[in-house]
Amino acid sequence: MKKRVVSIMLIAAMAASLAAGCGKSSGSDSGNGGSSSGGSSSGGSSSAGASSGEEGKVINIYSWNDEFRERVEAVYPEVKETSKDGTVTVLNDGTEIHWIINPNQDGVYQQKLDEALMQQADASADDKVDIFLSETDYVNKYTDADADAAIPLKDLGIDPDRDLADQYDFTKVTASDVDGVQRGSTWQCCPGLLVYRRDIAKEVFGTDDPEEIGQKVKDWDTIKATAEELKAKGYYTFASYADTFRLYGNSIEESWVSPGETTIKVDQKIMDWVNSSKEWLDAGYLDKNVKGQWNDDWNKAMSSASKVFAFLFPAWGIDFTLNPNWDGEDGVWAVTNPPQEYNWGGSYVHACTGTDNPEHVKDIILAVTVDKDNLLKISKDYSDFTNTTSGMKEAAEDDSFASEFLGGQNAFEYFVPVAENIEIAPLSAYDQGCVELIQNSFSDYLQGKVDYDKAKKNFETAIIERYPDITEIQWPE
Amino acid sequence: MKSKHKKVDYSKWGYIFILPFFVSFFIFSFIPLVDTIRYSFFEYYRSGIKEIGPNFVGMENYISLLGSDMLKYAANTLILWIIGFIPQIVIALVLAEWFVDARLKIHGTQFFKVVIYLPNLIMASAFAMLFFTMFSTNGPVNSILMSIGLTSQPIDFLGSAMGTRSLVGFMNFLMWFGNSTIMLMAAIMGISPDVFEASELDGCNSFQRFFYITLPQIRPILAYTLITAIIGGLQMFDVPQILTNGQGTPDRTSMTLIMFLNSHLKSRNYGMAGALSVYLFIVSGILCFFVYRMTNNDDPDGSKAAAKKAKKQQRRG
């Protein structure tokens, strides 16, 4: 008899666990609340609107790396401690921040975030997303007014005109929806520079002075003449054709897809990039063996054995990409003005619709992205170019902001004028796919595998696969 | 009074023990299968974080797939599979024959069995990453080729359709020939030794023995290997996906059907992906049927068919 009871219980347990596994997606009943994390007792605050006075116990933050956590830990005064594995940060009042980190690669982060946003309305208070981050490439997807995923800053109690007056304007435009309602804020601003090797400069031009090199690369015509000089000595100007893409691609005049339309308009600037890349590649100004960015060959092009003279990077690129790949001494690289002002990247912080911690969220956004002292601290500790116009001007004149990797050069001096002149390209929700796929499709053309028309056709095929609602692709004449 | 001769019936325990399989099959395989087929008739995808559909569109997904490059990707898949499968089955047959052959007395068969199986234990994506690094233009393979003077310029293996396809085929071959070898060895060992001894007495040479005894005897297992390889080939994904970064470069010549499917799933296009899956389902069904019929021919000399025909005629007459 006993045996039978045990076996029946085992089967029941198995069946129950199976049923529980599939019930989660459909079941929005309160019974699920019991299984939420932390075993907290805050199940009572069920209707979590931004208006309810009671704050939840758990703040869930979605991000793709530790960058934001490090900055919150560094500047948010309420932080008490973070667990060793970096998943939970406890605040002074006992509230816990849960960090939900998914890698950006292959769209994993967005998939997970989208899943969570879909379930946001049904999730129990402690499981709701409170803050999420987005990158410039896809910020538009989340600031969309119809999607209503990010709370307008005004509704949080932050007045963009007054509180964010010191931020760079283009970051505010980027984080706004079509109607100009700002739905996110960023601590970082990503003006890009030209980073070059002093040793090569000395050998080829006889000088490594940033001012003089800056004159040699000040616009596209001049830099082409410079490239010829470099080639004569056996050096490449840039590593790959993808290196210059952001300069063209982030200065397009019309967005890839106009709001409310389903037609992709490929900007003339993009075709300019294709044509000049082909010209440069054929002329031998670029390394033929480096195909695109973020691959092994590209990383190796940053080592001391490489023949590549310069890279185009914003602040994070110098710190996170160039520095780890460089195997020589500090002080070999220096920065100067790029041939064209551009912005590359940037992480935006959004308050998620339905959050049960609006006060904390507001505090965190203000502390990390608005407070000038905090931003300067971030600039100093993490070499970010931060989102404060007055603060960055001070940094440009303050030698304590000099970079060790750049041999004591103060890069902010060069970042500031670029940041002030950035014309940010109008965004659309389709940008990420367009930017990625146009580079992939025309890679084949640049390497001589397919002809120009075939590359166009491959882009059309790929983009319709990615975005089924696209009906037409228009190419510039 | 109750009968004391009630038969003890254990059969229900059998059903209870197999129940978990059926329950989990039903939940995790059957429902998704039905759902896939259902969604294939709908327009259903995501634009940004907005959900479009599901709207019933009938056969539209199927028609627009036929108008796309699907057939080209099917051809790619077939080519990639054949490049890998032919060496795989040939080498596996030869190795299996050698390992089993008592007269060859190969030492350390156990060791080799483990070694040839090892590549299969590596995750396909890790394996592809390894090859990607090894065969990149600055990679070790090119360095070796250049330093022994076989080539002066680095060879762009992954930049040409031939190179990429051969690499994918080679990797699939490396990963799966051990598996086939072990399966075929089991099959060969299952053949009665009497047959081999008899053939030897009759003066049969090793070629004859292989083609007239071993091959016909292991046909069922060979069929099984073929079927699983075809289905596995249709689902080829991870190796080319990682090797070409999901793009099927160059010019989409190494884009397989499942990679095509995967690029629809980036936009959560369940309708289109569902339709593609149904096509794949039908194709694998047909292929299986043919291979099964072909290899399970229980009438090798045609005598049964002749008898049937005679019987039919008799009845008519």
Side-chain angles (χ1 to χ4, degrees):
Chain A
M1 198 58 206
K2 233 177 192 173
K3 266 186 192 163
R4 175 174 288 184
V5 171
V6 170
S7 58
I8 286 173
M9 272 170 68
L10 276 175
I11 289 163
M14 189 182 275
S17 62
L18 281 175
C22 71
K24 212 164 195 179
S25 58
S26 57
S28 64
D29 49 345
S30 57
N32 265 354
S35 69
S36 72
S37 58
S40 63
S41 57
S42 72
S45 64
S46 55
S47 64
S51 55
S52 68
E54 196 109 340
E55 290 276 301
K57 293 274 176 237
V58 176
I59 303 171
N60 289 305
I61 301 185
Y62 272 68
S63 177
W64 56 86
N65 59 22
D66 294 341
E67 209 183 358
F68 187 56
R69 195 193 77 220
E70 284 169 4
R71 283 149 186 71
V72 169
E73 282 169 11
V75 300
Y76 187 46
E78 295 296 314
V79 170
K80 198 166 147 204
E81 58 178 352
T82 300
S83 65
K84 271 220 180 83
D85 58 353
T87 52
V88 178
T89 296
V90 184
L91 302 184
N92 285 333
D93 62 356
T95 310
E96 287 179 5
I97 300 181
H98 289 188
W99 301 96
I100 297 126
I101 310 288
N102 291 296
N104 231 340
Q105 277 83 14
D106 246 355
V108 174
Y109 171 69
Q110 288 182 66
Q111 271 176 30
K112 300 273 179 186
L113 177 60
D114 292 353
E115 279 317 308
L117 291 176
M118 291 277 189
Q119 315 241 322
Q120 179 81 338
D122 300 333
S124 69
D126 285 347
D127 287 338
K128 281 188 197 295
V129 184
D130 297 296
I131 292 180
F132 66 88
L133 273 73
S134 72
E135 278 195 297
T136 312
D137 277 349
Y138 51 84
V139 60
N140 200 273
K141 174 175 161 189
Y142 296 102
T143 53
D144 188 84
D146 294 336
D148 198 26
I151 304 178
L153 292 183
K154 266 212 170 88
D155 297 359
L156 269 184
I158 302 174
D159 180 4
D161 294 333
R162 195 191 60 215
D163 298 330
L164 310 184
D166 198 31
Q167 289 194 343
Y168 284 94
D169 274 335
F170 77 90
T171 66
K172 294 203 261 184
V173 174
T174 305
S176 302
D177 61 22
V178 226
D179 310 319
V181 179
Q182 195 174 345
R183 287 169 183 265
S185 174
T186 179
W187 74 90
Q188 94 192 129
C189 178
C190 302
L193 296 178
L194 184 129
V195 202
Y196 67 94
R197 289 257 299 265
R198 282 178 187 269
D199 52 339
I200 296 177
K202 247 191 193 137
E203 189 194 327
V204 179
F205 310 117
T207 174
D208 61 354
D209 181 53
E211 288 295 326
E212 284 182 50
I213 302 296
Q215 280 304 308
K216 285 190 160 297
V217 298
K218 66 176 193 296
D219 55 45
W220 289 115
D221 288 335
T222 327
I223 198 174
K224 216 158 116 187
T226 312
E228 192 60 51
E229 280 181 60
L230 281 161
K231 192 197 161 195
K233 297 263 180 172
Y235 290 107
Y236 301 113
T237 310
F238 298 119
S240 137
Y241 43 81
D243 284 349
T244 54
F245 182 82
R246 294 284 166 174
L247 279 68
Y248 292 93
N250 290 5
S251 62
I252 54 177
E253 266 144 39
E254 252 186 291
S255 58
W256 285 92
V257 179
S258 305
E261 285 183 24
T262 56
T263 309
I264 286 190
K265 291 195 199 94
V266 182
D267 200 277
Q268 182 57 44
K269 289 256 170 58
I270 301 294
M271 299 333 280
D272 289 348
W273 169 74
V274 172
N275 295 330
S276 73
S277 294
K278 184 79 181 161
E279 197 189 322
W280 279 52
L281 201 63
D282 290 346
Y285 302 156
L286 306 172
D287 189 348
K288 272 204 170 71
N289 290 331
V290 182
K291 289 177 263 178
Q293 296 178 316
W294 312 113
N295 53 44
D296 199 38
D297 293 333
W298 190 61
N299 291 342
K300 274 187 191 147
M302 296 173 204
S303 66
S304 52
S306 118
K307 296 272 178 212
V308 176
F309 171 63
F311 285 88
L312 292 156
F313 271 131
W316 57 260
I318 299 172
D319 225 41
F320 287 105
T321 314
L322 189 59
N323 196 351
N325 283 315
W326 174 245
D327 50 358
E329 288 166 28
D330 283 353
V332 175
W333 293 90
V335 294
T336 187
N337 55 281
Q340 180 184 340
E341 284 89 11
Y342 68 103
N343 178 74
W344 182 9
S347 316
Y348 288 83
V349 186
H350 306 277
C352 188
T353 306
T355 172
D356 58 331
N357 306 290
E359 283 305 316
H360 278 106
V361 170
K362 180 189 166 191
D363 283 352
I364 292 174
I365 290 182
L366 284 175
V368 182
T369 74
V370 181
D371 187 280
K372 188 171 152 190
D373 294 337
N374 288 347
L375 289 173
L376 282 174
K377 185 169 159 34
I378 292 176
S379 277
K380 208 166 220 170
D381 293 353
Y382 298 101
S383 312
D384 273 346
F385 185 88
T386 48
N387 201 0
T388 157
T389 45
S390 58
M392 287 301 99
K393 273 191 190 127
E394 289 165 26
E397 282 155 18
D398 183 349
D399 278 342
S400 66
F401 282 88
S403 154
E404 229 170 82
F405 176 66
L406 299 174
Q409 191 188 10
N410 185 354
F412 290 92
E413 199 185 320
Y414 287 93
F415 280 127
V416 169
V418 174
E420 279 167 359
N421 288 317
I422 286 173
E423 299 264 341
I424 195 79
L427 301 176
S428 75
Y430 303 88
D431 289 0
Q432 196 183 25
C434 290
V435 165
E436 189 185 314
L437 296 173
I438 198 120
Q439 292 190 58
N440 283 331
S441 306
F442 279 96
S443 269
D444 282 341
Y445 165 68
L446 293 172
Q447 289 166 34
K449 307 282 181 234
V450 298
D451 61 26
Y452 192 72
D453 290 327
K454 186 80 213 287
K456 277 181 166 180
K457 225 182 136 263
N458 281 346
F459 172 70
E460 289 174 9
T461 314
I463 200 75
I464 288 173
E465 260 166 41
R466 176 74 68 89
Y467 301 118
D469 43 345
I470 293 296
T471 49
E472 200 192 341
I473 290 109
Q474 286 176 5
W475 298 90
E477 278 314 305
Chain B
M1 206 182 152
K2 275 184 192 170
S3 151
K4 283 193 175 173
H5 297 287
K6 202 173 156 193
K7 209 177 129 204
V8 184
D9 186 11
Y10 289 115
S11 68
K12 69 172 177 202
W13 291 109
Y15 290 117
I16 288 173
F17 283 134
I18 60 171
L19 185 69
F21 167 75
F22 281 99
V23 170
S24 44
F25 173 80
F26 187 76
I27 294 171
F28 296 112
S29 293
F30 189 71
I31 294 177
L33 183 72
V34 173
D35 249 11
T36 306
I37 296 174
R38 189 166 67 89
Y39 280 139
S40 70
F41 298 106
F42 286 83
E43 176 192 55
Y44 187 29
Y45 60 87
R46 243 185 248 172
S47 168
I49 39 178
K50 285 167 285 188
E51 209 152 61
I52 312 281
N55 308 314
F56 186 76
V57 291
M59 300 296 283
E60 208 169 274
N61 287 333
Y62 291 89
I63 294 164
S64 74
L65 268 183
L66 282 183
S68 74
D69 287 340
M70 183 178 72
L71 294 176
K72 195 181 132 191
Y73 305 138
N76 287 342
T77 315
L78 191 71
I79 292 169
L80 290 176
W81 178 72
I82 287 177
I83 292 176
F85 184 71
I86 290 177
Q88 176 191 329
I89 199 74
V90 170
I91 303 270
L93 269 174
V94 171
L95 283 179
E97 177 78 5
W98 283 349
F99 282 161
V100 171
D101 199 329
R103 284 174 313 167
L104 281 178
K105 291 203 184 78
I106 296 177
H107 292 291
T109 45
Q110 278 304 335
F111 171 73
F112 286 115
K113 269 189 253 175
V114 173
V115 168
I116 59 175
Y117 196 80
L118 273 182
N120 205 320
L121 298 180
I122 309 174
M123 218 172 18
S125 48
F127 205 45
M129 286 284 272
L130 177 76
F131 267 65
F132 184 83
T133 322
M134 276 181 20
F135 285 89
S136 75
T137 40
N138 288 334
V141 171
N142 265 317
S143 315
I144 293 170
L145 286 181
M146 274 158 77
S147 64
I148 59 173
L150 277 181
T151 165
S152 56
Q153 281 287 313
I155 302 172
D156 193 1
F157 290 104
L158 292 166
S160 68
M162 253 288 281
T164 312
R165 283 174 171 173
S166 321
L167 278 182
V168 171
F170 182 57
M171 275 155 72
N172 278 324
F173 153 68
L174 270 187
M175 283 175 65
W176 291 102
F177 85 102
N179 191 342
S180 312
T181 307
I182 286 171
M183 209 123 68
L184 294 175
M185 269 172 69
I188 296 174
M189 283 193 286
I191 305 172
S192 161
D194 305 356
V195 186
F196 286 122
E197 280 166 22
S199 74
E200 234 161 88
L201 289 178
D202 288 345
C204 174
N205 68 25
S206 52
F207 279 99
Q208 285 168 324
R209 200 182 53 204
F210 179 73
F211 284 106
Y212 295 108
I213 300 176
T214 313
L215 267 190
Q217 290 285 333
I218 61 170
R219 206 169 50 195
I221 300 283
L222 210 54
Y224 171 78
T225 317
L226 200 62
I227 292 172
T228 47
I230 287 178
I231 294 175
L234 268 180
Q235 296 180 342
M236 192 187 299
F237 171 66
D238 34 19
V239 168
Q241 170 86 9
I242 303 284
L243 198 67
T244 66
N245 207 4
Q247 304 300 325
T249 48
D251 192 20
R252 301 190 149 228
T253 47
S254 53
M255 182 86 134
T256 68
L257 282 168
I258 301 289
M259 286 165 74
F260 183 50
L261 181 77
N262 191 50
S263 50
H264 283 308
L265 287 179
K266 281 224 166 110
S267 57
R268 299 295 168 101
N269 196 342
Y270 294 127
M272 205 64 102
L276 184 55
S277 306
V278 172
Y279 273 129
L280 278 176
F281 184 72
I282 294 170
V283 169
S284 34
I286 293 172
L287 283 177
C288 283
F289 178 76
F290 272 120
V291 174
Y292 202 72
R293 278 293 295 275
M294 206 167 67
T295 49
N296 269 300
N297 189 352
D298 57 359
D299 184 21
D301 54 358
S303 59
K304 272 191 190 171
K308 219 176 189 179
K309 207 173 170 189
K311 213 174 175 185
K312 227 178 196 175
Q313 265 176 355
Q314 213 175 32
R315 217 183 286 155
R316 264 194 218 143

